Amino acid sequence: MTSRSDADVEELTVKAARVHRSLTQLRGRATSIDGHVTIEVSIDGRITAMVVSQWFSRLSSDAASAVIVRTHSDALADAEAAASAVRRELTGDYRVARIVDRVAAEGPSLHVDNKWTDDRKSIYDKW
């Protein structure tokens, strides 16, 4: 027979795996104001797709760079908003909140790279 604690761990493990899988598949998208650039990014900000119109080549290099940077930033903001909604499946679970509170209360810890890290920062901020 499985104890309630074991069942909780198993349920949270499944939930965490589901959230992780969703986050790795998540994409953010944005189109520039002028409609000449569309960018898709993964949650870590890598560009996974980019489409530019034929008119894009008429922009100066500075203007083109600015459009790409702004559109990339907007796509990343879209990805981050979607990721926040996905993470709520975990962050909304009272059991996860208890774990986070316990870890945060422990303070800084020595990690494998022998550097002290402030673990009081939310683990969700580290994703």
Side-chain angles (χ1 to χ4, degrees):
M1 179 190 285
T2 304
S3 73
R4 181 65 201 150
S5 178
D6 290 343
D8 281 349
V9 169
E10 184 175 339
E11 183 182 334
L12 286 173
T13 301
V14 169
K15 188 183 281 193
R18 185 174 50 244
V19 167
H20 176 73
R21 189 172 41 257
S22 294
L23 289 172
T24 60
Q25 295 171 352
L26 188 138
R27 298 292 181 261
R29 291 173 187 79
T31 299
S32 62
I33 294 171
D34 60 12
H36 294 309
V37 178
T38 299
I39 295 178
E40 176 187 273
V41 297
S42 60
I43 187 60
D44 63 1
R46 287 179 300 115
I47 295 175
T48 55
M50 186 165 92
V51 178
V52 297
S53 74
Q54 64 183 3
W55 299 105
F56 185 75
S57 63
R58 295 182 181 190
L59 294 175
S60 70
S61 60
D62 288 344
S65 295
V67 169
I68 290 171
V69 167
R70 179 65 188 164
T71 306
H72 178 263
S73 178
D74 290 347
L76 186 54
D78 182 57
E80 289 170 349
S84 179
V86 169
R87 288 183 190 118
R88 268 195 287 284
E89 182 177 354
L90 278 179
T91 60
D93 190 305
Y94 73 93
R95 297 167 297 186
V96 173
R98 285 194 318 220
I99 293 167
V100 170
D101 289 345
R102 193 174 323 138
V103 169
E106 292 174 4
S109 62
L110 188 61
H111 287 259
V112 292
D113 60 1
N114 291 324
K115 294 182 182 176
W116 288 95
T117 301
D118 187 356
D119 287 330
R120 291 172 295 184
K121 182 177 178 182
S122 170
I123 61 171
Y124 305 109
D125 293 337
K126 296 177 185 178
W127 280 359

